[in-house]
mmCIF file of all heavy atoms in Angstrom:
data_model
loop_
_atom_site.group_PDB
_atom_site.id
_atom_site.type_symbol
_atom_site.label_atom_id
_atom_site.label_comp_id
_atom_site.label_asym_id
_atom_site.label_seq_id
_atom_site.Cartn_x
_atom_site.Cartn_y
_atom_site.Cartn_z
ATOM 1 N N ALA A 1 4.315 10.339 -25.373
ATOM 2 C CA ALA A 1 5.425 11.246 -25.668
ATOM 3 C C ALA A 1 5.117 12.679 -25.246
ATOM 4 O O ALA A 1 6.007 13.419 -24.827
ATOM 5 C CB ALA A 1 5.760 11.195 -27.154
ATOM 6 N N ALA A 2 3.846 13.069 -25.322
ATOM 7 C CA ALA A 2 3.456 14.436 -24.977
ATOM 8 C C ALA A 2 3.034 14.583 -23.516
ATOM 9 O O ALA A 2 2.628 15.659 -23.100
ATOM 10 C CB ALA A 2 2.319 14.906 -25.888
ATOM 11 N N GLY A 3 3.122 13.505 -22.738
ATOM 12 C CA GLY A 3 2.745 13.564 -21.335
ATOM 13 C C GLY A 3 1.616 12.622 -21.011
ATOM 14 O O GLY A 3 1.225 11.776 -21.829
ATOM 15 N N PRO A 4 1.047 12.742 -19.812
ATOM 16 C CA PRO A 4 -0.015 11.834 -19.369
ATOM 17 C C PRO A 4 -1.252 11.873 -20.264
ATOM 18 O O PRO A 4 -1.655 12.943 -20.731
ATOM 19 C CB PRO A 4 -0.349 12.328 -17.965
ATOM 20 C CG PRO A 4 0.924 12.954 -17.500
ATOM 21 C CD PRO A 4 1.485 13.622 -18.730
ATOM 22 N N VAL A 5 -1.819 10.683 -20.500
ATOM 23 C CA VAL A 5 -3.041 10.558 -21.288
ATOM 24 C C VAL A 5 -4.152 9.875 -20.498
ATOM 25 O O VAL A 5 -5.273 9.758 -20.975
ATOM 26 C CB VAL A 5 -2.794 9.810 -22.614
ATOM 27 C CG1 VAL A 5 -1.917 10.646 -23.538
ATOM 28 C CG2 VAL A 5 -2.181 8.442 -22.373
ATOM 29 N N GLY A 6 -3.839 9.432 -19.271
ATOM 30 C CA GLY A 6 -4.848 8.800 -18.436
ATOM 31 C C GLY A 6 -4.260 8.408 -17.102
ATOM 32 O O GLY A 6 -3.042 8.423 -16.920
ATOM 33 N N TYR A 7 -5.165 8.100 -16.169
ATOM 34 C CA TYR A 7 -4.717 7.615 -14.867
ATOM 35 C C TYR A 7 -5.757 6.696 -14.260
ATOM 36 O O TYR A 7 -6.920 6.683 -14.667
ATOM 37 C CB TYR A 7 -4.357 8.763 -13.921
ATOM 38 C CG TYR A 7 -5.524 9.552 -13.366
ATOM 39 C CD1 TYR A 7 -6.058 9.246 -12.120
ATOM 40 C CD2 TYR A 7 -6.076 10.613 -14.076
ATOM 41 C CE1 TYR A 7 -7.122 9.975 -11.594
ATOM 42 C CE2 TYR A 7 -7.134 11.348 -13.554
ATOM 43 C CZ TYR A 7 -7.649 11.026 -12.324
ATOM 44 O OH TYR A 7 -8.705 11.746 -11.807
ATOM 45 N N CYS A 8 -5.298 5.920 -13.300
ATOM 46 C CA CYS A 8 -6.137 4.929 -12.639
ATOM 47 C C CYS A 8 -5.712 4.858 -11.175
ATOM 48 O O CYS A 8 -4.533 5.035 -10.867
ATOM 49 C CB CYS A 8 -5.924 3.583 -13.322
ATOM 50 S SG CYS A 8 -7.023 2.267 -12.824
ATOM 51 N N VAL A 9 -6.668 4.608 -10.295
ATOM 52 C CA VAL A 9 -6.392 4.558 -8.862
ATOM 53 C C VAL A 9 -6.888 3.236 -8.308
ATOM 54 O O VAL A 9 -8.016 2.826 -8.581
ATOM 55 C CB VAL A 9 -7.093 5.727 -8.132
ATOM 56 C CG1 VAL A 9 -6.873 5.641 -6.628
ATOM 57 C CG2 VAL A 9 -6.623 7.067 -8.684
ATOM 58 N N VAL A 10 -6.028 2.566 -7.530
ATOM 59 C CA VAL A 10 -6.438 1.349 -6.837
ATOM 60 C C VAL A 10 -6.242 1.570 -5.345
ATOM 61 O O VAL A 10 -5.197 2.042 -4.906
ATOM 62 C CB VAL A 10 -5.690 0.094 -7.335
ATOM 63 C CG1 VAL A 10 -4.215 0.162 -7.075
ATOM 64 C CG2 VAL A 10 -6.284 -1.171 -6.739
ATOM 65 N N GLU A 11 -7.302 1.267 -4.574
ATOM 66 C CA GLU A 11 -7.271 1.421 -3.123
ATOM 67 C C GLU A 11 -7.699 0.091 -2.490
ATOM 68 O O GLU A 11 -8.211 -0.790 -3.178
ATOM 69 C CB GLU A 11 -8.196 2.563 -2.694
ATOM 70 C CG GLU A 11 -7.759 3.901 -3.315
ATOM 71 C CD GLU A 11 -8.686 5.044 -2.980
ATOM 72 O OE1 GLU A 11 -9.772 5.134 -3.590
ATOM 73 O OE2 GLU A 11 -8.327 5.840 -2.105
ATOM 74 N N TYR A 12 -7.494 -0.019 -1.198
ATOM 75 C CA TYR A 12 -7.758 -1.286 -0.498
ATOM 76 C C TYR A 12 -8.736 -1.083 0.663
ATOM 77 O O TYR A 12 -8.586 -1.670 1.716
ATOM 78 C CB TYR A 12 -6.433 -1.909 -0.026
ATOM 79 C CG TYR A 12 -5.577 -2.278 -1.195
ATOM 80 C CD1 TYR A 12 -4.632 -1.389 -1.698
ATOM 81 C CD2 TYR A 12 -5.751 -3.491 -1.846
ATOM 82 C CE1 TYR A 12 -3.871 -1.707 -2.809
ATOM 83 C CE2 TYR A 12 -4.999 -3.825 -2.963
ATOM 84 C CZ TYR A 12 -4.063 -2.928 -3.434
ATOM 85 O OH TYR A 12 -3.318 -3.239 -4.539
ATOM 86 N N THR A 13 -9.754 -0.292 0.427
ATOM 87 C CA THR A 13 -10.730 0.012 1.473
ATOM 88 C C THR A 13 -12.072 -0.695 1.243
ATOM 89 O O THR A 13 -12.987 -0.525 2.027
ATOM 90 C CB THR A 13 -10.970 1.532 1.546
ATOM 91 O OG1 THR A 13 -11.362 1.998 0.249
ATOM 92 C CG2 THR A 13 -9.710 2.258 1.985
ATOM 93 N N PHE A 14 -12.182 -1.490 0.199
ATOM 94 C CA PHE A 14 -13.411 -2.200 -0.141
ATOM 95 C C PHE A 14 -13.321 -3.620 0.414
ATOM 96 O O PHE A 14 -12.775 -4.514 -0.226
ATOM 97 C CB PHE A 14 -13.606 -2.209 -1.663
ATOM 98 C CG PHE A 14 -14.909 -2.798 -2.129
ATOM 99 C CD1 PHE A 14 -16.095 -2.094 -1.981
ATOM 100 C CD2 PHE A 14 -14.951 -4.038 -2.730
ATOM 101 C CE1 PHE A 14 -17.303 -2.619 -2.428
ATOM 102 C CE2 PHE A 14 -16.146 -4.583 -3.186
ATOM 103 C CZ PHE A 14 -17.321 -3.865 -3.024
ATOM 104 N N PHE A 15 -13.777 -3.801 1.652
ATOM 105 C CA PHE A 15 -13.717 -5.099 2.322
ATOM 106 C C PHE A 15 -12.299 -5.669 2.300
ATOM 107 O O PHE A 15 -12.096 -6.864 2.135
ATOM 108 C CB PHE A 15 -14.712 -6.087 1.709
ATOM 109 C CG PHE A 15 -16.139 -5.643 1.830
ATOM 110 C CD1 PHE A 15 -16.766 -4.988 0.776
ATOM 111 C CD2 PHE A 15 -16.849 -5.838 3.003
ATOM 112 C CE1 PHE A 15 -18.081 -4.566 0.887
ATOM 113 C CE2 PHE A 15 -18.163 -5.424 3.124
ATOM 114 C CZ PHE A 15 -18.781 -4.778 2.065
ATOM 115 N N GLU A 16 -11.319 -4.790 2.417
ATOM 116 C CA GLU A 16 -9.889 -5.128 2.415
ATOM 117 C C GLU A 16 -9.442 -5.793 1.118
ATOM 118 O O GLU A 16 -8.436 -6.494 1.082
ATOM 119 C CB GLU A 16 -9.525 -5.974 3.637
ATOM 120 C CG GLU A 16 -9.766 -5.229 4.941
ATOM 121 C CD GLU A 16 -9.387 -6.034 6.169
ATOM 122 O OE1 GLU A 16 -8.810 -7.127 6.036
ATOM 123 O OE2 GLU A 16 -9.664 -5.547 7.270
ATOM 124 N N GLN A 17 -10.163 -5.551 0.040
ATOM 125 C CA GLN A 17 -9.789 -6.035 -1.295
ATOM 126 C C GLN A 17 -9.406 -4.827 -2.146
ATOM 127 O O GLN A 17 -9.750 -3.693 -1.838
ATOM 128 C CB GLN A 17 -10.966 -6.771 -1.953
ATOM 129 C CG GLN A 17 -11.400 -8.008 -1.218
ATOM 130 C CD GLN A 17 -10.336 -9.088 -1.201
ATOM 131 O OE1 GLN A 17 -9.707 -9.393 -2.211
ATOM 132 N NE2 GLN A 17 -10.108 -9.665 -0.033
ATOM 133 N N GLY A 18 -8.707 -5.084 -3.242
ATOM 134 C CA GLY A 18 -8.390 -4.003 -4.165
ATOM 135 C C GLY A 18 -9.655 -3.475 -4.818
ATOM 136 O O GLY A 18 -10.587 -4.236 -5.107
ATOM 137 N N PHE A 19 -9.676 -2.169 -5.042
ATOM 138 C CA PHE A 19 -10.822 -1.536 -5.696
ATOM 139 C C PHE A 19 -10.311 -0.419 -6.591
ATOM 140 O O PHE A 19 -9.606 0.485 -6.130
ATOM 141 C CB PHE A 19 -11.809 -0.962 -4.670
ATOM 142 C CG PHE A 19 -13.110 -0.530 -5.285
ATOM 143 C CD1 PHE A 19 -14.149 -1.436 -5.437
ATOM 144 C CD2 PHE A 19 -13.286 0.771 -5.731
ATOM 145 C CE1 PHE A 19 -15.352 -1.045 -6.016
ATOM 146 C CE2 PHE A 19 -14.484 1.169 -6.309
ATOM 147 C CZ PHE A 19 -15.523 0.249 -6.457
ATOM 148 N N VAL A 20 -10.634 -0.487 -7.865
ATOM 149 C CA VAL A 20 -10.291 0.587 -8.791
ATOM 150 C C VAL A 20 -11.328 1.685 -8.575
ATOM 151 O O VAL A 20 -12.471 1.572 -9.004
ATOM 152 C CB VAL A 20 -10.289 0.107 -10.257
ATOM 153 C CG1 VAL A 20 -10.057 1.280 -11.203
ATOM 154 C CG2 VAL A 20 -9.229 -0.967 -10.451
ATOM 155 N N SER A 21 -10.913 2.731 -7.881
ATOM 156 C CA SER A 21 -11.845 3.803 -7.532
ATOM 157 C C SER A 21 -11.904 4.893 -8.595
ATOM 158 O O SER A 21 -12.820 5.723 -8.569
ATOM 159 C CB SER A 21 -11.479 4.405 -6.177
ATOM 160 O OG SER A 21 -10.155 4.872 -6.190
ATOM 161 N N MET A 22 -10.958 4.890 -9.537
ATOM 162 C CA MET A 22 -10.971 5.896 -10.594
ATOM 163 C C MET A 22 -10.226 5.366 -11.806
ATOM 164 O O MET A 22 -9.148 4.776 -11.670
ATOM 165 C CB MET A 22 -10.290 7.180 -10.110
ATOM 166 C CG MET A 22 -10.188 8.267 -11.155
ATOM 167 S SD MET A 22 -11.769 8.816 -11.819
ATOM 168 C CE MET A 22 -12.591 9.364 -10.341
ATOM 169 N N LEU A 23 -10.806 5.580 -12.961
ATOM 170 C CA LEU A 23 -10.138 5.357 -14.242
ATOM 171 C C LEU A 23 -10.540 6.524 -15.128
ATOM 172 O O LEU A 23 -11.731 6.728 -15.384
ATOM 173 C CB LEU A 23 -10.555 4.036 -14.880
ATOM 174 C CG LEU A 23 -10.001 3.787 -16.288
ATOM 175 C CD1 LEU A 23 -8.479 3.672 -16.262
ATOM 176 C CD2 LEU A 23 -10.612 2.537 -16.891
ATOM 177 N N MET A 24 -9.560 7.294 -15.551
ATOM 178 C CA MET A 24 -9.833 8.450 -16.396
ATOM 179 C C MET A 24 -8.848 8.454 -17.554
ATOM 180 O O MET A 24 -7.633 8.344 -17.340
ATOM 181 C CB MET A 24 -9.683 9.744 -15.590
ATOM 182 C CG MET A 24 -9.930 11.014 -16.389
ATOM 183 S SD MET A 24 -11.575 11.166 -17.131
ATOM 184 C CE MET A 24 -12.608 11.343 -15.681
ATOM 185 N N VAL A 25 -9.383 8.559 -18.755
ATOM 186 C CA VAL A 25 -8.560 8.670 -19.955
ATOM 187 C C VAL A 25 -8.960 9.968 -20.644
ATOM 188 O O VAL A 25 -10.148 10.279 -20.764
ATOM 189 C CB VAL A 25 -8.775 7.457 -20.891
ATOM 190 C CG1 VAL A 25 -7.988 7.623 -22.190
ATOM 191 C CG2 VAL A 25 -8.382 6.161 -20.184
ATOM 192 N N ALA A 26 -7.962 10.722 -21.077
ATOM 193 C CA ALA A 26 -8.228 11.974 -21.785
ATOM 194 C C ALA A 26 -9.135 11.692 -22.977
ATOM 195 O O ALA A 26 -8.940 10.696 -23.688
ATOM 196 C CB ALA A 26 -6.924 12.602 -22.249
ATOM 197 N N PRO A 27 -10.131 12.541 -23.216
ATOM 198 C CA PRO A 27 -11.055 12.294 -24.328
ATOM 199 C C PRO A 27 -10.352 12.011 -25.663
ATOM 200 O O PRO A 27 -10.758 11.117 -26.399
ATOM 201 C CB PRO A 27 -11.891 13.576 -24.380
ATOM 202 C CG PRO A 27 -11.909 14.041 -22.948
ATOM 203 C CD PRO A 27 -10.526 13.721 -22.430
ATOM 204 N N ALA A 28 -9.276 12.723 -25.962
ATOM 205 C CA ALA A 28 -8.573 12.534 -27.237
ATOM 206 C C ALA A 28 -7.839 11.202 -27.310
ATOM 207 O O ALA A 28 -7.453 10.770 -28.396
ATOM 208 C CB ALA A 28 -7.581 13.682 -27.464
ATOM 209 N N ALA A 29 -7.631 10.533 -26.175
ATOM 210 C CA ALA A 29 -6.874 9.279 -26.144
ATOM 211 C C ALA A 29 -7.766 8.057 -25.986
ATOM 212 O O ALA A 29 -7.266 6.928 -25.946
ATOM 213 C CB ALA A 29 -5.851 9.330 -25.010
#
């Protein structure tokens, strides 16, 4: 309700497979 609390990134550069290159969650969440 107050806005973003985390984000995640998926890319396809790891041997042409999906790769979660970033997962970040706000410390309070």
Side-chain angles (χ1 to χ4, degrees):
V5 292
Y7 73 96
C8 188
V9 177
V10 63
E11 299 177 283
Y12 296 92
T13 55
F14 186 74
F15 298 97
E16 298 181 7
Q17 297 295 315
F19 191 88
V20 175
S21 57
M22 177 59 59
L23 175 64
M24 179 60 68
V25 176

